Amino acid sequence: MATTASTRRQFLSLLGLSAVAVSCGTTAGATSGKGQTKTLRYQGWAGQVILPELAEDLGYLEDVKLEWVGNTISGPQDIQSAATGQVDFGGAFNGAVVKLAANNAPIKAVISYYGADKYAYNGFYVLNDSPIRSARDLTGKKVGMNTLGAHSEAMLDIYLQRGGLSRADIDKVEPLVVPPVNTEQTLRQKQIDVAVLGGILRDKALAAGGIRPLFTDYQLLGEFSAGTYVMTDRFLKQNPDTARIFVTAVGRAIEWSRSTPHEEVVARMTDIVKKRGRNEDTAPLRYWRSYGVAEKAGLITGKELQLWIDWLADRGDIKKGQVTLSDLYSNEFNRNQKSSSATKSGS
């Protein structure tokens, strides 16, 4: 199982590679002189409506436009693309954001965009007749997730640690990359022992029956914001007004999704997916319940990043003191904040 352990560390180390390219990266959407870009390039998720897409449809982006360049199934890949200037913003699990910053990528987290609550959570599911009942039962088993080195692997590690497993035993559990749209089927065909399912794909699988949860991230940590959108320091310096419109719009979209009746939100999302014409199945959207962001309008408190700074340091993936929390995020572009004191980075 030494290969498995190496693979798990290897993916996290890959996040550092983008830092090498950052100095060569360009913000292609930015204009020279005083002009600021009004077009934001981004990656989406198949069959889903991400918050910036919702914000644009609601008219919150004002004169700023989104330019879809393709889809991703990986948060770490998305923020690497942002760091190297291939897109103008990217989102990932906060541990991946910390890891990328630790490798000297000049990025800043500007708003939380997903998290865990009683509606929005990732569960680790097994078949009803599976013998797996505890953390120790996972030794030697395969766990399918969307990407390595991100949210799901972090939750798995925490669960195994709390279950009393040693690092050697933890390394015997095998996380595997399985595209989200295929994860349920892969579990039912017994190609993996555990499937990580979240959001509409989770609820769709539960509705079909035959599976049960081993644990969820909500059970592990309660309500928490889990991921942030990042932009490069260069982009923020060149396009502060555009960044402010974007971040504020995403924050407004978060609050709109909280305060609007479920049926109306789903209808809006369904309409967005149909209008973009990518031949996507809209049926699973009816299972959407929440984006799971803990703080109002996605404001970052710091604790949601500090958790993973400590976690990565304990694992030996970064050195203690390698990442300075106050340099990692800023709320200054989020106009939804109430107090002026919250505008300072690190507030």
Side-chain angles (χ1 to χ4, degrees), residues 108-283:
K108 198 171 295 293
V110 291
I111 190 169
S112 293
Y113 74 98
Y114 88 92
D117 61 21
K118 63 181 179 180
Y119 299 115
Y121 59 87
N122 285 315
F124 287 64
Y125 292 90
V126 298
L127 297 174
N128 278 344
D129 59 359
S130 170
I132 298 173
R133 298 280 176 182
S134 69
R136 198 156 296 279
D137 293 334
L138 288 175
T139 304
K141 299 298 190 293
K142 297 177 180 178
V143 183
M145 57 188 65
N146 71 308
T147 189
L148 302 184
H151 184 106
S152 296
E153 189 176 359
M155 296 304 124
L156 177 61
D157 265 11
I158 292 172
Y159 176 72
L160 295 172
Q161 288 170 5
R162 291 186 180 181
L165 274 69
S166 65
R167 176 49 59 184
D169 286 337
I170 290 174
D171 287 339
K172 293 175 184 176
V173 181
E174 185 177 2
L176 296 173
V177 175
V178 181
V181 294
N182 302 125
T183 307
E184 177 190 353
Q185 180 183 8
T186 305
L187 175 65
R188 294 189 189 279
Q189 293 177 343
K190 299 186 177 180
Q191 294 174 303
I192 55 176
D193 303 287
V194 185
V196 182
L197 298 168
I200 57 181
L201 296 176
R202 175 201 68 220
D203 289 344
K204 180 174 177 288
L206 288 172
I211 63 173
R212 58 178 171 81
L214 180 63
F215 71 95
T216 72
D217 52 9
Y218 178 55
Q219 290 172 339
L220 279 181
L221 299 176
E223 292 188 0
F224 67 102
S225 291
T228 46
Y229 281 129
V230 304
M231 289 177 154
T232 63
D233 293 336
R234 177 182 179 181
F235 184 91
L236 292 171
K237 183 178 180 180
Q238 292 181 343
N239 305 281
D241 297 331
T242 299
R244 194 166 290 111
I245 290 171
F246 168 75
V247 174
T248 301
V250 170
R252 290 181 65 190
I254 291 170
E255 294 309 311
W256 182 88
S257 73
R258 291 195 218 268
S259 61
T260 305
H262 171 256
E263 295 76 11
E264 187 177 335
V265 178
V266 169
R268 189 108 192 188
M269 289 181 168
T270 301
D271 185 55
I272 292 171
V273 171
K274 287 180 177 179
K275 284 191 299 186
R276 65 195 187 196
R278 300 176 198 160
N279 196 29
E280 299 162 284
D281 181 13
T282 60

Side-chain angles (χ1 to χ4, degrees), residues 48-49 60-61 70 85 114 117 121 152 208 227 250 279 285 297 315 323 335 344 346:
Q48 300 181 39
V49 176
Y60 296 163
L61 282 178
Y114 88 92
D117 61 21
Y121 59 87
S152 296
V250 170
N279 196 29
L285 287 171
R315 283 167 53 103
V323 177
R335 285 176 175 161
K344 296 180 181 180

Side-chain angles (χ1 to χ4, degrees), residues 23 26-27 91 115 301-302 328 332:
S23 60
T26 61
T27 50
T301 66
L328 188 58
E332 72 170 291

Side-chain angles (χ1 to χ4, degrees), residues 302-337:
K303 64 182 180 182
E304 62 277 87
L305 291 160
Q306 187 65 53
L307 174 67
W308 304 113
I309 292 174
D310 297 339
W311 178 74
L312 286 165
D314 288 343
R315 283 167 53 103
D317 292 315
I318 65 173
K319 296 177 181 178
K320 291 186 182 298
Q322 189 172 347
V323 177
T324 302
L325 180 61
S326 60
D327 294 334
L328 188 58
Y329 77 97
S330 174
N331 285 316
E332 72 170 291
F333 301 98
N334 195 334
R335 285 176 175 161
N336 297 291
Q337 56 200 334

